Amino acid sequence: MFEAVEELLTEHADLEKRLADPSVHADQANARKLAKRYAELTPITRTYLAWRQAGEDIEAARELAAEDSDFIAEMKDAEARQEELTEELRLLLVPRDPNDDKDVILEVKAGEGGEESALFAGDLLRMYLRFAERLGWKTEIIDANESDLGGYKDVSVAVKTRGTAEPGQGVWARLKYEGGVHRVQRVPATESQGRIHTSAAGVLVTPEAEEVEVEIHANDLRIDVYRSSGPGGQSVNTTDSAVRITHLPTGIVASCQNEKSQLQNKEQAMRILRSRLLAAAQEEAEREASDARRSQVRTVDRSERIRTYNFPENRISDHRTGFKSYNLDQVLDGELNAVIQSCVDADAAAKLAAAQEN
């Protein structure tokens, strides 16, 4: 392991020299690529240097302890510190998800439960918007189909980071675990008898694709226009501005009706379509790969229930990791970090175990 780290240290030092050369920044695309790699290697370099320093401290304390037993405690502290750093290094060296730095398109869809499910979908949307706000991310509602009582039958939102995110702190790196079925248990606003009901909403998270990442041929598309429905202003139900795009080879469909013009709706629908096609291609590659990850928390089965939101007990439970807490009101206000971190930790543990098996 440490031989590999020494090679990465050499690469890190070389990247530092190259990025200090003004001529490198003449090619902005290449400079961004180098800066991204430098940022990936920095935590490894920093942790390894701390590990090496801990080793030197152990040796120094051991020599002193031979003459003065007071230094035995110092030696043990340094040994414990080096052991912690060894585990950190192992985790840092686990191959990263190449999409971790990407922005995402997050979709929330009402499921079983009618209006109550649509209201819960609205609660989930607000939760993600508040979470993004806490982290300084930018959000943009791409398409929304509201329900009669103010919830959402389905809604799509683009979530983007500001600037360059730290490794493991990008939008996809944090939100990729949200895909799946979210179950709610509460007394619905539509329930007059005070009985607790169970309903669900589905969340789909896909990394947002750049145009160069997904090749789409015009002949493979069927574009239909229709009149918008639901809240949205004067243009609703008066012009054929809504757009539905079908990718014929795969059958994947994307639609948008939020914008006032047909052209704007087409552009937004294409954004969604590109991301869905990229996600489909990546999932197919994962299925075909002989060494596909056996992660406990990542799954392409979107029908799996991943989380329960129990309002009477103010409890949130993640069924993949066993995480449970009684601050549901705070989580729905955007305090999602602890829930997501449980998924990050479980995913890292599964990857580390797989790496050690190989």
Side-chain angles (χ1 to χ4, degrees), residues 144-148 153 227-237 257:
N145 184 8
E146 295 183 31
S147 69
D148 294 336
K153 296 177 182 177
R227 292 194 175 183
S228 302
S229 60
Q234 294 181 352
S235 61
V236 173
N237 291 324
Q257 63 174 4

Side-chain angles (χ1 to χ4, degrees), residues 231-264:
Q234 294 181 352
S235 61
V236 173
N237 291 324
T238 60
T239 60
D240 292 335
S241 60
V243 175
R244 181 187 301 109
I245 303 177
T246 304
H247 186 249
L248 299 175
T250 62
I252 292 175
V253 178
S255 61
C256 184
Q257 63 174 4
N258 259 31
E259 305 297 337
K260 293 183 178 180
S261 76
Q262 187 180 116
L263 179 60
Q264 289 173 316

Side-chain angles (χ1 to χ4, degrees), residues 290-304:
S290 59
D291 59 347
R293 295 176 187 163
R294 295 183 296 273
S295 170
Q296 296 176 10
V297 295
R298 293 288 310 280
T299 174
V300 296
D301 181 6
R302 299 294 182 182
S303 65
E304 182 181 352

Side-chain angles (χ1 to χ4, degrees), residues 4-13 37 41 44-45 93:
V5 176
E6 290 285 358
E7 293 178 5
L8 295 177
L9 254 65
T10 302
E11 182 184 356
H12 185 264
R37 179 60 175 164
L41 295 179
I44 297 174
T45 301
L93 291 172

Side-chain angles (χ1 to χ4, degrees), residues 100-356:
D100 272 355
D101 297 322
K102 288 186 179 293
D103 298 324
V104 309
I105 291 180
L106 184 147
E107 302 172 61
V108 184
K109 299 178 181 292
E112 299 175 0
E115 280 292 344
E116 164 61 9
S117 177
L119 290 171
F120 178 52
D123 292 336
L124 290 177
L125 173 65
R126 179 179 178 275
M127 178 181 74
Y128 292 126
L129 293 178
R130 291 301 302 274
F131 179 62
E133 182 183 347
R134 289 172 183 270
L135 295 180
W137 295 341
K138 296 181 290 185
T139 56
E140 173 195 1
I141 302 293
I142 298 175
D143 190 33
N145 184 8
E146 295 183 31
S147 69
D148 294 336
L149 295 183
Y152 288 92
K153 296 177 182 177
D154 55 78
V155 57
S156 301
V157 57
V159 187
K160 298 177 176 291
T161 189
R162 297 180 187 271
T164 303
E166 290 290 322
Q169 298 300 314
V171 180
W172 172 256
R174 305 302 287 178
L175 290 182
K176 62 186 176 183
Y177 304 102
E178 294 303 297
V181 175
H182 296 239
R183 184 178 67 172
V184 62
Q185 295 172 326
R186 66 181 175 188
V187 178
T190 55
E191 170 60 55
S192 60
Q193 302 298 319
R195 293 173 297 185
I196 296 174
H197 284 222
T198 298
S199 61
V203 175
L204 175 67
V205 186
T206 53
E208 182 158 9
E210 301 292 338
E211 290 191 36
V212 294
E213 292 180 298
V214 179
E215 186 176 5
I216 302 177
H217 299 288
N219 292 339
D220 290 337
L221 301 178
R222 185 180 76 235
I223 301 176
D224 301 307
V225 296
Y226 57 97
R227 292 194 175 183
S228 302
S229 60
Q234 294 181 352
S235 61
V236 173
N237 291 324
T238 60
T239 60
D240 292 335
S241 60
V243 175
R244 181 187 301 109
I245 303 177
T246 304
H247 186 249
L248 299 175
T250 62
I252 292 175
V253 178
S255 61
C256 184
Q257 63 174 4
N258 259 31
E259 305 297 337
K260 293 183 178 180
S261 76
Q262 187 180 116
L263 179 60
Q264 289 173 316
N265 280 324
K266 180 181 177 182
E267 290 174 351
Q268 298 287 45
M270 283 298 294
R271 285 177 65 184
I272 298 173
L273 180 64
R274 277 195 297 269
S275 294
R276 289 180 180 174
L277 286 172
L278 177 63
Q282 290 173 337
E283 288 178 356
E284 179 63 26
E286 286 181 3
R287 282 194 294 270
E288 293 177 354
S290 59
D291 59 347
R293 295 176 187 163
R294 295 183 296 273
S295 170
Q296 296 176 10
V297 295
R298 293 288 310 280
T299 174
V300 296
D301 181 6
R302 299 294 182 182
S303 65
E304 182 181 352
R305 183 192 69 204
I306 65 167
R307 198 174 291 156
T308 294
Y309 303 72
N310 185 298
F311 276 70
E313 298 179 13
N314 198 33
R315 170 173 53 84
I316 182 165
S317 306
D318 194 291
H319 305 295
R320 301 161 296 179
T321 67
F323 176 89
K324 184 184 295 183
S325 67
Y326 293 85
N327 64 334
L328 176 57
D329 53 339
Q330 296 173 21
V331 171
L332 289 173
D333 196 41
E335 293 188 15
L336 258 176
N337 262 324
V339 191
I340 290 176
Q341 191 60 46
S342 74
C343 296
V344 173
D345 293 343
D347 199 11
K351 290 175 183 176
L352 184 58
Q356 290 173 341

